[in-house]
Amino acid sequence: MGRPRTPLLDRQRIVDAALTLADEAGDLTIPALAGALRVSPSALYHHVAGRAEIIALMRRELAQRIGDPGLWELPWDQALDAWAHAYRDAFAEHPGIIRLLATAPLSEPFMHTLYEGAVTVLDEAGFETAQVMGIITALESFVLGSALDLVAPSAMVDAVVRDTTPRLAAALDAGPAGRSRADHAFELGLRALITGYRSLLVPVPEHPTPTTTPVVPPAARTAAPVPGDAVTA
């Protein structure tokens, strides 16, 4: 029997299967991945070094959807807003990978390049260097939680007894339902975050225009009288 023209296994197939497996099981193991691909575990090692590299490839797959280099040419608040939306949409498609990526160090150069863009736009906006990574981490934590909210039940607070908790019931009635509930919460929270970040910026003081002493022509100068001098008419 001749060898198949199309390889049975390649890195992209491994990544696609790993993303599916993570979504279904919330975890990733080499035996489970090999089973999903119907190959032996040893066959995977012809293409990847191990589980850590597969997770890195999964991260690259998602980063390609949120790493538009032109993003960081925008003003800092618009850049963070666009990044947050792209970030949430990418992870909402694969919520099972969130725990995997959140517990794996960011050691890939392509991720360092992505973060360099975020750090640069915040640094040039005037944020203190010591605050920059905290700003990014807080935003990412919010985005990842919002991605999970997209796949959560449409009504997270249920079976409310109106007579017992009337204010809660009224708040639930006033808010949107379904996918709109998650979108509304995301937009509200993102606006609050960016507004809060804006308050961290220290206004650059305006330098007053230097004042100059007017030059008096010599002919216009009058010497002050010296006490005791005679004054002639």
Side-chain angles (χ1 to χ4, degrees), residues 184-196:
H184 175 73
F186 173 70
E187 297 296 342
L188 184 65
L190 181 58
R191 185 166 70 248
L193 269 176
I194 292 178
T195 299

Side-chain angles (χ1 to χ4, degrees), residues 146-170:
S146 297
L148 290 175
D149 195 29
L150 279 175
V151 296
S154 58
M156 287 300 295
V157 182
D158 198 7
V160 173
V161 179
R162 293 179 178 276
D163 292 340
T164 305
T165 52
R167 292 177 182 263
L168 172 60

